[in-house]
Amino acid sequence: MKKVILITGASRGIGAATARLAAARGYAVCVNYLKNRQAAEAVVAEIEGGGGRAIAVAADVADEAQVVRLFETVDRQFGTLTALVNNAGILETQMRVEDMDAARLNRILAANVTSCFICAREAVRRMSSRHGGSGGAIVNVSSAASRIGSAGEYVDYAASKGAVDTLTIGLAREVATEGIRVNAVRPGFIYTDIHASGGEPGRVDRVKAFVPMQRGGHPEEVAAAILWLLSDEASYATGSFIDLAGGR
Ligand code: NAP
């Protein structure tokens, strides 16, 4: 079967590394992004330069109508989707819960939770044997924060990843007999741009001493686990989590 993958937030960081590896494993890759067209097109160019197939598609995954259009673009350009990586995610400036307002909480939940539900819905409608589909696999990118809570930094973000964990377990069980596996990765401190969004670009180097392995992780190390979970080698894994946090 032709392998077609949609990776949300694939212009940079973990998503971009996953897009490159997926292309190397033979997937036609949809590189979704929010604003950074140049970065998304660079990922596509790199994949095409290596003989692979990729398209860059702008869509805010927090917006239902844009998600619907995103999936329809994949249908048109590549045909039936076989894999979805719910990777796009945001965090906001570090602050204590007592200082958070509802607008911030709703932005975090829309970008990190609603997005995963709506993208998963669109994927299930295409993959499920219940809808005449041929199956597929979904990987949600959660975070070690869901286990740790991110006190004093972003408990809202950590809680949003807790919701992603629960979505993973619930959806995995809901579609287990319909040819779809649903799993998640929980990265720890990974060298990407996301820490700058929290106001601290050098965060990984500050906190790496708290990691048993005494180092930050690299996006490629997360991508490798995602691609394994998507592959037939993981055929009996559903509702499972791979923690990629250096022992934390
Ligand atoms: P990143 O470097 O900040 O990249 C974020 C990506 O998501 C970009 O491609 C961005 O697009 C896209 N994006 C953001 N909001 C979006 C939206 N509403 N719609 C569509 N695309 C959107 O992030 P990252 O560190 O690779 O994180 C990827 C995932 O890993 C996130 O879910 C994050 O929570 C999780 N994670 C990261 C770490 C870490 O230490 N880095 C640890 C645990 C979990 P543009 O380029 O267009 O802005």
Side-chain angles (χ1 to χ4, degrees):
M1 191 165 67
K2 200 173 80 172
K3 299 197 289 185
V4 175
I5 190 168
L6 166 58
I7 304 164
T8 65
S11 47
R12 294 182 286 124
I14 293 167
T18 305
R20 290 187 200 99
L21 189 59
R25 301 270 167 91
Y27 285 90
V29 184
C30 176
V31 174
N32 160 251
Y33 66 102
L34 180 62
K35 290 188 201 131
N36 200 332
R37 185 169 155 192
Q38 211 179 347
E41 286 181 350
V43 174
V44 168
E46 207 179 315
I47 290 171
E48 288 177 340
R53 291 180 72 199
I55 50 170
V57 183
D60 179 350
V61 291
D63 180 309
E64 184 171 13
Q66 292 189 44
V67 170
V68 169
R69 281 203 297 277
L70 170 65
F71 277 77
E72 287 171 352
T73 305
V74 176
D75 293 339
R76 269 198 316 276
Q77 302 271 332
F78 287 149
T80 314
L81 187 77
T82 60
L84 166 68
V85 182
N86 272 322
N87 167 75
I90 58 165
L91 48 74
E92 298 208 5
T93 317
Q94 296 169 5
M95 69 171 64
R96 290 168 56 95
V97 170
E98 68 214 44
D99 296 320
M100 292 177 186
D101 62 18
R104 167 179 165 130
L105 297 171
N106 289 331
R107 282 194 300 275
I108 291 287
L109 293 173
N112 294 359
V113 182
T114 308
S115 61
C116 292
F117 271 85
I118 301 299
C119 288
R121 178 193 79 191
E122 292 302 309
V124 168
R125 286 178 180 175
R126 287 160 173 80
M127 295 171 177
S128 170
S129 56
R130 209 164 159 251
H131 298 284
S134 311
I138 299 173
V139 171
N140 296 322
V141 181
S142 175
S143 172
S146 74
R147 297 184 281 110
I148 290 162
S150 304
E153 293 192 328
Y154 11 69
V155 175
D156 53 348
Y157 168 85
S160 76
K161 295 301 187 178
V164 171
D165 287 0
T166 307
L167 164 65
T168 304
I169 294 164
L171 182 62
R173 293 177 181 186
E174 194 165 292
V175 298
T177 59
E178 299 169 24
I180 308 174
R181 294 181 302 102
V182 185
N183 293 290
V185 291
R186 283 191 295 224
F189 304 124
I190 310 297
Y191 289 100
T192 72
D193 299 339
I194 203 168
H195 308 286
S197 332
E200 193 187 355
R203 178 165 175 262
V204 176
D205 286 326
R206 173 176 64 84
V207 295
K208 68 183 180 191
F210 303 111
V211 176
M213 286 176 78
Q214 300 271 297
R215 69 169 179 88
H218 297 283
E220 293 73 19
E221 295 179 290
V222 181
I226 293 172
L227 264 297
W228 182 77
L229 285 169
L230 292 174
S231 77
D232 289 342
E233 290 186 357
S235 53
Y236 199 49
T238 198
S240 300
F241 296 83
I242 298 183
D243 289 299
L244 302 147
R248 190 155 177 266

